[in-house]
C-alpha cells in the first residue's frame, strides 16, 4: 500500500487582475484536502485571494532533452523583440 | 454585574487559551507537514482570540492584571475553561474529535456573541467567527475522512467520540454567570445551543459512519466553575513555567 498522499501543485492569485502564480507543492489525499492544505501552508501571510490546485501527475512538462529544438531557434530571432523602435526621451518606464 | 462580566470573559478567554496550548503541543509532531501547519495556524488563531478576551477581562476587572497576568499567574482552580478543551491530545483521532466538538459549539457561541449589546464583545466575536468558520470546516472534513476511512482509523475515531462525549454536556449548562450575561444582553444562552449543536454533530458523524452516543448520557461538568480534570494542572505547569520561575520575564 502506498502510504504517501499524492502530490499537488499550488497556484495562488495574490490580487484581483493578476494571474495565478505557482507557489509550490504539497501532499493531500484529494482536491478538497489539497485546497485546505494550500490555504494553511501558502496563504498564512495574507498572500492570496484565490487558490488553484492541480495534481502534479497531471502536469504535462516539456522534456529537458528537447530544449534545443524547442527553444534555441527563438534565440537568433531578435527582431521578434520590440526593441528596435526609437523611444522619445521623456517617456519613462517602458 | 461587572464581576459576572469579567467571569464571563475569562471563560471565553480560557477556552481559547487552553485549547490553543493543547494544539501547540502538536507543533513539529503532526502526522504530515501540512497537518502540522494547519494545527499551528488554529492554535495561533485561538491564542489571538484569547488575548482579546483576557485583555478585556483585565480592563473591566480593573485590578491591574493584564492578559499575561491572567494567563500565566492564575492557578488551576481559577481557570474556567470547559473540561473538553483541557483533555490531553492523545492520538490524532482524539485531537480531531475534541476539535470538532469544540468548533461546532464555538461557532454557534460566536454567532450569539456577534449580537452582543456590548460592542467590544460583538467586535471580538465578529473577528473570531471568520477564523472559527474555517476551523469547523477543517475539523468536520477530517472527522468524515478519518471516520469513513480505514477500519483502523474508524475504530480510533469511534473510541475518541465515545471517550470525549462525556465532556460535551458542560457546553450547554447554564449557571448564574450565563444567566446574568443573557439578562444584560451581552451573552448567549448555552442551553439554546444544544439542539443546533446536536443536529450538526449528528449529521457529520453519520457521514463519517460513526455512532453518536446517547444525548442523555452521563456528563462531566465543573470546568466553568473552576473544578477541572488533573490534565489541566500539568498543562499549566508547562504553559506557566517561565513566568513562574522568572516572574515578569520579557523577551
Amino acid at each position: 500500500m502506498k502510504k504517501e498522499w499524492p502530490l499537488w501543485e499550488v497556484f495562488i492569485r495574490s490580487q484581483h487582475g493578476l494571474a495565478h502564480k505557482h507557489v509550490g507543492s504539497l501532499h493531500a489525499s484529494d482536491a478538497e484536502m489539497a485546497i485546505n492544505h494550500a490555504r494553511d501552508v501558502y496563504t498564512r501571510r495574507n498572500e492570496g485571494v484565490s487558490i488553484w490546485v492541480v495534481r502534479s501527475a497531471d502536469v504535462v512538462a516539456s522534456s529537458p532533452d528537447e530544449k534545443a529544438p524547442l527553444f534555441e531557434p527563438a534565440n537568433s530571432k531578435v527582431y521578434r523583440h520590440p526593441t528596435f523602435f526609437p523611444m522619445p526621451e521623456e517617456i519613462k518606464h517602458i | 454585574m461587572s464581576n459576572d462580566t469579567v467571569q464571563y470573559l475569562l471563560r471565553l478567554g480560557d477556552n481559547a487559551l487552553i485549547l490553543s496550548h493543547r494544539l501547540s503541543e502538536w507543533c513539529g509532531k503532526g502526522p504530515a507537514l501540512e497537518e502540522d501547519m494547519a494545527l499551528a495556524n488554529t492554535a495561533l488563531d485561538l491564542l489571538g482570540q484569547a488575548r482579546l478576551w483576557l485583555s478585556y477581562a483585565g480592563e473591566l476587572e480593573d485590578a491591574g492584571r493584564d492578559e499575561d497576568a491572567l494567563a500565566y499567574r492564575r492557578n488551576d482552580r481559577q481557570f474556567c475553561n470547559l473540561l473538553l478543551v483541557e483533555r490531553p491530545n492523545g492520538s490524532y483521532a482524539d485531537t480531531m474529535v475534541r476539535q470538532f466538538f469544540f468548533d461546532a459549539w464555538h461557532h454557534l457561541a460566536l454567532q450569539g456573541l456577534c449580537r452582543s449589546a456590548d460592542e467590544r464583545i460583538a467586535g471580538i466575536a465578529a473577528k473570531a467567527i471568520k477564523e472559527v468558520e474555517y476551523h469547523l470546516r477543517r475539523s468536520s472534513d477530517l472527522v468524515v475522512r478519518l471516520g469513513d476511512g480505514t477500519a483502523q482509523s474508524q475504530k480510533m475515531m469511534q473510541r475518541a467520540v465515545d471517550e470525549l462525549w462525556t465532556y460535551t454536556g458542560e457546553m450547554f449548562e447554564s449557571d448564574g454567570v450565563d444567566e446574568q450575561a443573557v439578562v444584560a444582553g451581552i451573552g448567549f444562552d448555552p442551553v439554546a445551543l444544544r439542539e443546533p449543536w446536536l443536529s450538526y454533530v449528528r449529521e457529520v458523524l453519520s457521514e463519517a459512519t460513526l455512532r453518536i452516543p446517547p444525548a442523555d448520557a452521563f456528563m462531566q461538568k465543573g470546568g466553568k466553575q473552576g473544578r477541572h480534570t488533573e490534565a489541566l494542572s500539568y498543562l499549566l505547569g508547562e504553559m506557566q513555567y517561565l513566568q513562574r520561575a522568572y516572574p515578569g520575564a520579557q523577551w
Side-chain angles (χ1 to χ4, degrees):
Chain A
M1 198 178 96
K2 233 180 104 191
K3 287 189 89 175
E4 284 273 325
W5 290 327
L7 195 64
W8 298 74
E9 299 301 320
V10 182
F11 301 80
I12 305 271
R13 182 161 75 189
S14 55
Q15 282 176 45
H16 289 291
L18 293 184
H20 285 73
K21 196 168 167 237
H22 185 238
V23 292
S25 53
L26 49 75
H27 290 96
S29 61
D30 64 18
E32 194 186 350
M33 189 192 258
I35 290 277
N36 281 355
H37 280 166
R39 183 265 190 197
D40 285 322
V41 177
Y42 291 111
T43 67
R44 307 173 74 227
R45 297 178 186 88
N46 204 20
E47 291 95 335
V49 294
S50 165
I51 301 173
W52 285 353
V53 290
V54 180
R55 259 177 198 275
S56 306
D58 289 340
V59 173
V60 181
S62 62
S63 158
D65 299 340
E66 289 174 316
K67 219 172 118 190
L70 284 178
F71 307 119
E72 271 175 26
N75 279 348
S76 57
K77 299 182 175 60
V78 287
Y79 50 84
R80 287 180 181 169
H81 294 273
T83 52
F84 295 94
F85 302 97
M87 296 300 289
E89 276 294 319
E90 56 276 13
I91 296 187
K92 308 274 190 231
H93 312 302
I94 286 189
Chain B
M1 146 79 198
S2 183
N3 230 351
D4 277 343
T5 309
V6 171
Q7 198 61 26
Y8 195 71
L9 291 166
L10 286 178
R11 289 176 179 183
L12 293 167
D14 288 348
N15 282 338
L17 177 67
I18 299 301
L19 186 56
S20 167
H21 189 83
R22 273 286 179 239
L23 292 177
S24 74
E25 291 171 3
W26 271 106
C27 196
K29 302 178 190 168
L33 179 144
E34 293 84 353
E35 286 298 318
D36 198 284
M37 289 189 71
L39 281 190
N41 287 345
T42 308
L44 285 171
D45 286 347
L46 290 170
L47 188 62
Q49 295 170 20
R51 293 187 57 189
L52 296 170
W53 294 127
L54 293 182
S55 296
Y56 190 27
E59 285 169 39
L60 284 188
E61 185 191 45
D62 198 21
R65 295 200 287 183
D66 63 3
E67 49 179 300
D68 288 335
L70 288 169
Y72 298 120
R73 292 204 288 276
R74 274 183 301 151
N75 295 332
D76 44 8
R77 290 298 294 259
Q78 293 161 325
F79 272 79
C80 39
N81 55 279
L82 297 162
L83 299 175
L84 177 68
V85 299
E86 74 200 33
R87 299 308 298 148
N89 284 339
S91 70
Y92 209 63
D94 299 315
T95 293
M96 284 332 299
V97 170
R98 181 186 67 199
Q99 193 66 33
F100 169 64
F101 285 164
F102 180 74
D103 290 343
W105 175 85
H106 200 196
H107 190 246
L108 291 167
L110 289 171
Q111 278 176 349
L113 293 171
C114 282
R115 295 189 292 267
S116 174
D118 182 311
E119 277 181 23
R120 180 103 167 248
I121 291 179
I124 297 173
K127 179 173 184 291
I129 201 168
K130 292 188 203 116
E131 298 168 342
V132 171
E133 253 173 61
Y134 182 74
H135 300 170
L136 180 59
R137 164 181 155 161
R138 213 188 88 79
S139 58
S140 305
D141 182 70
L142 279 162
V143 163
V144 173
R145 285 173 189 283
L146 294 170
D148 190 12
T150 65
Q152 173 71 6
S153 74
Q154 205 223 21
K155 199 173 106 196
M156 291 175 76
M157 289 296 279
Q158 187 64 59
R159 204 161 51 202
V161 166
D162 294 343
E163 169 89 18
L164 288 167
W165 190 250
T166 190
Y167 298 103
T168 58
E170 191 191 13
M171 302 193 282
F172 315 107
E173 292 273 330
S174 181
D175 68 359
V177 173
D178 289 305
E179 282 157 24
Q180 197 49 246
V182 171
V183 170
I186 62 164
F188 59 91
D189 175 14
V191 180
L193 303 190
R194 189 158 180 266
E195 276 314 310
W197 183 87
L198 272 175
S199 117
Y200 180 77
V201 166
R202 203 175 281 134
E203 187 188 313
V204 174
L205 290 187
S206 122
E207 201 188 333
T209 69
L210 296 169
R211 261 180 296 110
I212 186 167
D216 59 355
F218 171 76
M219 293 291 178
Q220 299 282 351
K221 52 190 165 189
K224 294 207 288 189
Q225 292 81 25
R227 296 188 307 278
H228 293 277
T229 66
E230 67 170 3
L232 180 71
S233 310
Y234 290 102
L235 181 152
L236 293 182
E238 187 171 313
M239 188 180 87
Q240 298 183 330
Y241 164 76
L242 193 87
Q243 283 300 324
R244 297 292 193 182
Y246 306 97
Q250 292 194 342
W251 293 112

